[in-house]
Amino acid sequence: MPGPNPTMQALVLHEASPSLALQLQELPMPSIGANEVLVEVEYVGLNHIDARLGAEGFCRWQYPHVLGIDAVGTVVEAPVGVFPKRGTRVIFTTSLADQGVLKRYTKVANYAVAEVPESIPSAVAATLPNAGMTALAALDKIQLQAGESIYINSGCGAVAHFAIQYARQRGAKVFVSAPKGEHERIKDLGADVLFASKGEQLARDIKRELGPDGFDTILNSCGGETFVADLARLRFGGRIACLNGFSEIPQELLFSRAPIIAAVSLGGAWLANNLCAQQKLSFMGQQLLQDVGSGKIQAPGHRIVAFDVKLVSEALRQLYQQSTAVRPVVAVKPG
């Protein structure tokens, strides 16, 4: 329970910049509303989106801004009759538009959290929310069915880590593009076919493995021109999920593929102020915790980073500059 001191420590960003230079700052303690709980943050799971928006900015931010959308911690204050009660350990992902969770305490809607079972360490739980929920949302959007093919255009990140496993469990045949050095790890997750080639050679390799018809479904995590390239790999009437927007689609390609295009925006639950979507975040969190706890799903690798300006800034820069399967997890509480 927070003491009489009305402030707390936070790592803040004073401007969007690829340097991602954070500063330690004292901020006022959050005050909770009727359907909110106050959480003492234990670990923060850093995501590529944290690094990208920190480097490039976001239209809804005011500075200084606190980065971080995924956290695990303990409820220390809750209105009477509101679940979860004090002492409950929870995971959650928060709104991109609001101040983030790289701080000692944060508030969150009580209906958007998931209770962490004792069997799952907090640092592992912190790796699950955004990436795992995005993977689940993407597979649901494209309505992946048993016996269908799915192509994941970048197998290195945490979203792909979950998507590969869940796609395989749904009975799909999983094709993944990734650097050679990642193939053994990705194969262990359940991928059937891996590609390391690019451009025209990748097109030839896909045709050799799949035949001329194209993929039933595609998960495109990179956006931009890669989305258009992936559309050309889709069968007629196939479904494609895009996580990061896309450039203009050539008319001929649109007609020749007649695709079902699904934009996946986990943060949209908050940006659209959609209560049902926010509650679904809790349900997906519960599913991830249950699947990881039972051994059905393997959590992504992680490394612990101390709550330190230089160390966290460097971790964010590494995320911005490269894809990595090992995600930084910030230990907010001293220990």
Side-chain angles (χ1 to χ4, degrees), residues 28-327:
M29 285 285 299
S31 57
I32 61 173
N35 294 310
E36 294 176 324
V37 293
L38 184 67
V39 175
E40 184 176 10
V41 179
E42 186 177 0
Y43 288 97
V44 172
L46 296 180
N47 296 280
H48 284 93
I49 193 169
D50 297 316
R52 180 167 61 85
L53 295 184
E56 301 171 10
F58 185 65
C59 59
R60 299 275 290 272
W61 285 0
Q62 293 183 338
Y63 295 92
H65 181 76
V66 180
L67 292 176
I69 55 176
D70 284 359
V72 59
T74 301
V75 176
V76 293
E77 185 180 337
V80 176
V82 168
F83 177 85
K85 63 183 180 180
R86 292 180 185 178
T88 304
R89 192 165 53 120
V90 295
I91 61 167
F92 50 93
T93 189
T94 59
S95 173
L96 289 172
D98 296 335
Q99 293 290 340
V101 293
L102 273 172
K103 55 193 179 188
R104 288 299 302 276
Y105 296 93
T106 193
K107 64 179 180 179
V108 61
N110 73 300
Y111 45 79
V113 305
E115 183 173 351
V116 183
E118 292 183 4
S119 61
I120 300 181
S122 293
V124 173
T127 68
L128 307 181
N130 188 268
M133 294 176 192
T134 298
L136 287 171
L139 296 185
D140 285 346
K141 280 250 186 177
I142 57 176
Q143 300 178 352
L144 183 66
Q145 304 295 319
E148 291 188 319
S149 60
I150 181 171
Y151 172 62
I152 298 172
N153 80 330
S154 177
C156 296
V159 174
H161 177 95
F162 289 102
I164 292 164
Q165 296 178 84
Y166 278 116
R168 185 60 184 269
Q169 288 179 16
R170 294 187 184 195
K173 187 170 184 180
V174 184
F175 299 77
V176 182
S177 279
K180 270 284 190 188
E182 296 285 342
H183 283 201
E184 184 176 351
R185 177 187 66 83
I186 294 171
K187 196 80 171 178
D188 289 342
L189 294 175
D192 295 288
V193 180
L194 288 118
F195 305 109
S197 52
K198 296 181 179 181
E200 293 183 2
Q201 184 58 49
L202 175 59
R204 289 192 290 268
D205 290 344
I206 289 174
K207 188 174 182 179
R208 184 183 64 248
E209 292 287 346
L210 192 68
D213 293 337
F215 297 104
D216 297 310
T217 66
I218 293 178
L219 174 56
N220 176 277
S221 60
C222 302
E225 292 297 329
T226 70
F227 180 84
V228 175
D230 279 348
L231 267 186
R233 299 171 182 134
L234 198 65
R235 68 164 174 80
F236 181 80
R239 292 103 63 196
I240 184 168
C242 184
L243 307 186
N244 282 305
F246 47 85
S247 55
E248 184 176 352
I249 302 171
Q251 189 179 55
E252 189 276 334
L253 187 58
L254 200 59
F255 284 120
S256 66
R257 292 298 183 271
I260 297 172
I261 300 173
V264 180
S265 171
L266 203 67
W270 303 103
L271 296 173
N273 197 27
N274 188 304
L275 180 60
C276 290
Q278 293 165 19
Q279 290 175 318
K280 189 173 182 181
L281 299 178
S282 172
F283 301 148
M284 289 193 291
Q286 292 168 20
Q287 180 179 348
L288 288 162
L289 289 164
Q290 179 179 335
D291 290 343
V292 169
S294 68
K296 183 179 178 181
I297 289 293
Q298 175 187 327
H302 67 275
R303 62 185 177 92
I304 305 296
V305 179
F307 189 69
D308 174 88
V309 168
K310 291 183 178 179
L311 294 177
V312 179
S313 296
E314 178 58 28
L316 286 165
R317 284 193 291 270
Q318 290 175 2
L319 276 175
Y320 184 58
Q321 293 163 6
Q322 62 187 11
S323 295
T324 175
V326 179
R327 299 177 62 204

